Amino acid sequence: MRECAPAPPRFILSPSGFILMDAYLHCGKFRLSLARPLIMGVINLTPDSFSDGGRFAAVDQAIAQAQALIAQGADLLDIGGESTRPGASPVTLAEERRRVLPVLERLVSCGVPVSVDTQKPELMCEAIAAGAAMVNDINALGTPGAIEAVAATSVAVCLMHKQGNPQTMQAEPRYDDVVRQVVDFLRERIAAAGRAGIAESRIVIDPGFGFGKTYEHNLELLRALDRFAKLGVALLAGLSRKSMLGRITGREVGERVFASIAAAMIAVEKGARIVRVHDVAATRDALAVWSAVKSAG
Ligand code: HH2
């Protein structure tokens, strides 16, 4: 598809860069205003996630972390039972279900929408039935049955780009033009979701930082993030604690909070409406400063 024929924008960029819009993200029983950037707090229910693996594997620990993230200002939560860090091994449906559903069941009445990070259509259906408000799919509903699992419901979906699979994706990622190819991919997935009956107000897109991308690819994507923001649906950026920030700063994963904040600010300045982060309190303060400056403009 040619990039010179974009979808009509629902987002309007004023000369100051402030996004003037009355757009909402519809996710299940929730309607989230996109007039300010939203914070998606991450909780990995895994033993092996790159940044918080093993910390929230028990249900009570996960619930306590969810409550802490909400108190710190998370607008929505993203829970996942399968690590997708480079080199991670896939988990079975039974194991992913065992990790996710008991936590989800206790979180559905927590007051904020809960997103489930999964590629498995069966778990998507079960999570939606249990009250999940959003599906976060790093495979962009590309698994057979995934698009149907979401289409017949009212939940939101995050369509993420990746090249390859977590086991091998960082071996040798290649693109002719990473920005154009990722934009084209996401435009095609928005169209596929639309054909299946998923309204644009339920769709979020994400270029997938670190998913089959070199350091240079990630920087190119971040530089060009405004092109994704013009695709007409809400844009999410997941840069929190990622290895590109480690390479820039020379810091270990647990020491990347300042770099993560800088990356999140660049992303929202370029039009991201949702930032997926581990460090909610710090992100909330930084976004408050950003919003105050923008609203004064
Ligand atoms: N990143 C990770 C997992 N899921 N989903 C979206 N939409 N965007 C992302 O950038 C993204 C994602 C990887 O981070 P994390 O969940 O912290 O680690 P792990 O995959 O090791 O559990």
Side-chain angles (χ1 to χ4, degrees):
M1 200 177 287
R2 285 175 23 173
E3 216 184 307
C4 57
R10 284 166 51 234
F11 300 172
I12 304 160
L13 293 169
S14 80
S16 69
F18 188 48
I19 298 168
L20 307 165
M21 60 182 182
D22 55 2
Y24 288 88
L25 179 68
H26 288 107
C27 38
K29 63 180 182 181
F30 296 89
R31 202 171 77 119
L32 295 178
S33 169
L34 295 166
R36 67 167 175 85
L38 301 177
I39 300 176
M40 173 187 262
V42 182
I43 307 171
N44 288 309
L45 312 171
T46 55
D48 56 343
S49 288
F50 80 96
S51 71
D52 56 0
R55 288 187 54 209
F56 312 117
V59 175
D60 286 342
Q61 290 171 322
I63 301 298
Q65 176 68 357
Q67 286 163 346
L69 295 187
I70 294 168
Q72 290 167 22
D75 297 292
L76 62 168
L77 297 174
D78 187 41
I79 61 173
E82 178 176 48
S83 172
T84 48
R85 72 181 157 71
S89 306
V91 298
T92 63
L93 171 62
E95 178 59 15
E96 197 177 335
R97 181 189 278 144
R98 189 192 67 74
R99 293 177 185 177
V100 170
L101 292 182
V103 175
L104 175 64
E105 280 157 12
R106 282 184 55 189
L107 282 183
V108 288
S109 53
C110 70
V112 303
V114 181
S115 157
V116 172
D117 187 346
T118 185
Q119 308 177 60
K120 296 188 177 71
E122 299 88 343
L123 187 57
M124 291 176 190
C125 290
E126 291 168 13
I128 294 167
M134 180 165 172
V135 167
N136 173 22
D137 184 5
I138 66 158
N139 203 30
L141 299 184
T143 311
I147 209 156
E148 294 79 5
V150 170
T153 73
S154 61
V155 304
V157 62
C158 180
L159 305 169
M160 198 198 80
H161 175 274
K162 66 176 171 56
Q163 186 181 89
N165 291 304
Q167 295 75 38
T168 54
M169 65 191 180
Q170 290 308 107
E172 215 179 339
R174 277 178 200 271
Y175 300 84
D176 295 327
D177 176 341
V178 65
V179 175
R180 182 180 52 75
Q181 286 173 256
V182 178
V183 165
D184 284 352
F185 171 84
L186 290 175
R187 189 188 287 116
E188 188 281 319
R189 296 314 295 158
I190 295 168
R195 286 193 296 276
I198 304 175
E200 286 191 352
S201 62
R202 293 169 54 201
I203 300 176
V204 175
I205 53 166
D206 178 352
F209 290 101
F211 285 84
K213 281 113 188 167
T214 63
Y215 171 75
E216 287 78 15
H217 293 144
N218 287 319
L219 284 181
E220 264 189 77
L221 287 167
L222 185 51
R223 265 182 221 118
L225 212 56
D226 47 338
R227 287 172 62 185
F228 294 87
K230 290 175 187 147
L231 288 179
V233 298
L235 172 64
L236 181 149
L239 290 146
S240 180
R241 301 185 186 175
K242 285 199 172 162
S243 65
M244 64 184 280
L245 305 179
R247 170 145 168 201
I248 293 168
T249 59
R251 295 197 184 276
E252 292 303 319
V253 71
E255 300 172 341
R256 295 180 191 159
V257 58
F258 306 117
S260 299
I261 298 304
M265 291 305 102
I266 295 167
V268 299
E269 186 65 23
K270 287 179 174 287
R273 294 280 90 192
I274 306 176
V275 285
R276 182 181 182 278
V277 303
H278 304 86
D279 302 293
V280 169
T283 309
R284 183 210 48 209
D285 281 4
L287 284 178
V289 175
W290 186 89
S291 294
V293 172
K294 292 298 177 181
S295 62

